[in-house]
Amino acid sequence: MAEPPFHVAIIGGGLCGLSLAIALTKRSISHTIYEARGSFTEIGAGINLGPNTLEAFRLIDPDIGDAIFSFATRNPGRQKDLWMDVLLGAPTNDFEDAKRIHQMTTAPLDVGCMTVSRNELLQFLAQRIKPENARYNKKLVGLVQSKDEVTLSFEDGSRDTASVVIGCDGAHSVVRRLLLGEHDPAASPKFSQAGVYRAVFPIETFEKLVGKEGAAVSTIRLGPGGYVISYPIDGGKNINLGVWPGNKEVWEHDAWILPNQKPQMLEDLKAWGPTVQKVMRAMSDQTAFWATFHHSTFPESFYHGRVCIIGDSAHAMGPHQGQGASQSMEDACVMAEVLYAATTASSGTSAQRIKAALAGYEHARRPRFEKALRTSSEAFPFWGDLWKPDLSDHEIEAFGRQADERFVWLWHPDIAGQGRRALAEMDRILKT
Ligand SMILES: Cc1cc2nc3c(=O)[nH]c(=O)nc-3n(C[C@H](O)[C@H](O)[C@H](O)COP(=O)(O)OP(=O)(O)OC[C@H]3O[C@@H](n4cnc5c(N)ncnc54)[C@H](O)[C@@H]3O)c2cc1C
């Protein structure tokens, strides 16, 4: 019997799912995005995109990479290649509050801190999705694999079939749980013992709080046990702020966003310096605390048969290196390459080509996204543990060196090379 035509089901229309869909469209691969919500929407304010995101987008579609670079907000004027101005968030025995201790740049890449509003980026991508390729209010609840296809079941009782299923359904992924089994220790993310109080300030307000000089520049303030990050969004009209207190041991709530947390925030950061105190007092009484979750256990494999997980469903990580979305775009880019090869390879059955494609993808991507996840977890104490009352010049210098070194491999990837490694592995598998 003839094999069904090659069709990809993408579960989840977030940043990763839409990036993959665009990459598949570019390669004329038939696909459908199934999104649980009634439209493509994002919550949250600004998102910081590493220089590697641009590289990934340019490989997905050069026009998109260039367009994002032109609408993203960057640091003003001569600070364009600055990633973060690093300041003290509290005075020490020897240094005053808000002392600049380092400047991190992305040089020689002229990218710096590139931010977009999450929903703006999502809508930009959504405009490039063909309406006939999107299904809304389709919450996946089940997957059954057979020799030739996968049957998908949705909460509304409907079903569909596809040759391959790519789970892009975020940190609390259903596809991951279906793939690994509900009770597998790697099936669900765990509380990162961290979270963030978030706010958006008009630039004029922020200037009054932290001073005109530097208000519009992406800044990380390091204080007792945590950090406070601020960067321009909306073309420099607003400042996105994240206040990360020290570790929280447990998370006992069902919800992961708790509103009205200003008193707790002031208590958590009571040992911080006057500048951060002023900023926190200016935040709304409704300020919410967003708990963060990450995958602490890696599964044996990120695919099984015709089903694979990518993006946050594969590697939800803390945003302490600004890499969650960036890694998702790299995934989408390499996945599109192998799926294209699965449609064009002349050897093997469709099932063999799909299995080899997913194996090739995992071979090329896994070492990098696992390292990004691990180092993102390590980055929280890296930022949060520097400050101490007797901080010395020598420690500040060593910190600056380490800060620069820890981003080099993330920001300067060879994504095209990952694609080539994935294809070579796929080829090797199909020939054996
Ligand atoms: C507080 C915070 C700050 C962050 N800051 C940064 C940053 O500065 N830089 C950065 O790179 N990253 C950052 N990230 C991470 C970044 O947001 C994610 O890595 C990125 O959005 C992942 O995209 P995704 O498409 O994989 O998942 P998501 O964006 O979560 O999208 C998943 C989609 O799947 C849908 N879905 C879920 N379940 C189902 C189902 N069963 N059936 C169908 N559809 C389903 C959802 O509705 C959603 O549309 C941050 C994250 C947080 C929480």
Side-chain angles (χ1 to χ4, degrees):
M1 208 170 70
E3 288 171 350
F6 190 86
H7 187 77
V8 181
I10 299 172
I11 309 302
L15 295 175
C16 183
L18 296 193
S19 302
L20 178 62
I22 291 168
L24 296 184
T25 303
K26 192 84 189 156
R27 290 159 181 79
S28 304
I29 298 177
S30 165
H31 62 276
T32 304
I33 311 164
Y34 299 92
E35 167 53 47
R37 297 181 184 142
S39 64
F40 296 132
T41 43
E42 264 283 357
I43 53 169
I47 190 165
N48 182 336
L49 301 174
N52 49 319
T53 320
L54 268 193
E55 166 84 8
F57 270 125
R58 286 187 173 134
L59 289 168
I60 287 172
D61 182 336
D63 293 345
I64 292 188
D66 292 345
I68 290 174
F69 190 57
S70 60
F71 80 68
T73 302
R74 298 167 63 210
N75 280 316
R78 285 186 295 134
Q79 311 261 40
K80 281 228 179 320
D81 70 353
L82 177 74
W83 188 64
M84 285 291 152
D85 214 1
V86 188
L87 311 187
L88 289 181
T92 67
N93 295 342
D94 291 334
F95 305 114
E96 76 275 19
D97 185 39
K99 176 188 164 56
R100 172 180 294 137
I101 57 169
H102 189 56
Q103 287 201 301
M104 295 176 66
T105 79
T106 61
L109 299 175
D110 176 32
V111 175
C113 182
M114 192 175 60
T115 66
V116 288
S117 122
R118 287 159 76 99
N119 202 37
E120 183 187 17
L121 178 59
L122 195 84
Q123 296 314 320
F124 171 84
L125 299 175
Q127 280 162 17
R128 282 146 184 87
I129 302 298
K130 292 186 181 163
E132 64 270 26
N133 291 344
R135 305 268 188 287
Y136 304 104
N137 299 309
K138 290 287 173 194
K139 183 172 182 188
L140 184 91
V141 292
L143 289 171
V144 178
Q145 300 200 46
S146 69
K147 190 168 102 7
D148 289 331
E149 58 190 12
V150 189
T151 303
L152 307 98
S153 322
F154 299 94
E155 199 177 50
D156 64 3
S158 62
R159 281 165 193 250
D160 233 333
T161 56
S163 322
V164 193
V165 174
I166 308 298
C168 304
D169 52 340
H172 302 277
S173 168
V174 169
V175 180
R176 185 175 177 121
R177 290 204 298 277
L178 293 170
L179 207 59
L180 302 179
E182 193 75 41
H183 301 296
D184 188 300
S188 300
K190 73 160 205 191
F191 176 50
S192 308
Q193 296 186 313
V196 58
Y197 301 101
R198 305 172 82 183
V200 174
F201 283 108
I203 179 69
E204 297 78 13
T205 310
F206 204 61
E207 281 173 358
K208 284 184 198 137
L209 295 168
V210 305
K212 203 167 171 70
E213 194 208 337
V217 169
S218 50
T219 304
I220 185 163
R221 292 165 199 270
L222 310 182
Y227 70 90
V228 174
I229 189 166
S230 54
Y231 48 77
I233 54 172
D234 304 330
K237 287 204 272 304
N238 293 309
I239 295 295
N240 189 71
L241 180 84
V243 175
W244 292 84
N247 278 359
K248 305 253 177 191
E249 291 307 316
V250 284
W251 186 253
E252 287 165 332
H253 312 273
D254 289 335
W256 58 282
I257 304 176
L258 288 188
N260 308 323
Q261 294 299 302
K262 186 170 175 178
Q264 185 62 49
M265 174 178 69
L266 292 170
E267 173 63 22
D268 287 349
L269 280 87
K270 63 178 181 228
W272 284 58
T275 312
V276 169
Q277 296 296 340
K278 216 191 304 173
V279 169
M280 289 192 298
R281 281 197 302 273
M283 287 165 74
S284 141
D285 288 346
Q286 282 87 51
T287 296
F289 179 77
W290 299 51
T292 54
F293 294 79
H294 72 282
H295 287 120
S296 55
T297 309
F298 299 126
E300 206 177 300
S301 177
F302 291 83
Y303 72 94
H304 176 68
R306 295 167 175 270
V307 180
C308 186
I309 44 176
I310 69 172
D312 270 18
S313 56
H315 44 69
M317 61 187 77
H320 313 298
Q321 298 181 135
Q323 277 292 316
S326 311
Q327 290 302 313
S328 305
M329 307 318 170
E330 289 191 25
D331 288 350
C333 187
V334 177
M335 179 56 81
E337 286 292 306
V338 294
L339 292 179
Y340 180 69
T343 64
T344 52
S346 49
S347 51
T349 61
S350 158
Q352 286 166 335
R353 290 199 297 272
I354 288 167
K355 194 161 177 229
L358 301 183
Y361 163 84
E362 179 167 297
H363 172 79
R365 282 292 299 143
R366 183 173 187 149
R368 186 165 157 84
F369 66 61
E370 285 191 351
K371 186 173 171 189
L373 199 165
R374 203 181 58 246
T375 55
S376 288
S377 299
E378 292 163 2
F380 186 48
F382 176 74
W383 300 123
D385 291 352
L386 177 77
W387 188 95
K388 56 182 183 172
D390 58 350
L391 186 65
S392 67
D393 271 323
H394 172 71
E395 286 165 313
I396 289 176
E397 232 174 84
F399 169 85
R401 264 197 318 276
Q402 288 164 22
D404 291 340
E405 280 161 15
R406 73 177 304 130
F407 284 87
V408 171
W409 71 277
L410 282 166
W411 288 346
H412 304 269
D414 177 8
I415 303 174
Q418 292 178 59
R420 285 193 297 275
R421 276 198 298 287
L423 295 178
E425 176 66 4
M426 187 178 167
D427 201 39
R428 187 193 67 75
I429 293 169
L430 284 172
K431 282 187 178 138
T432 52

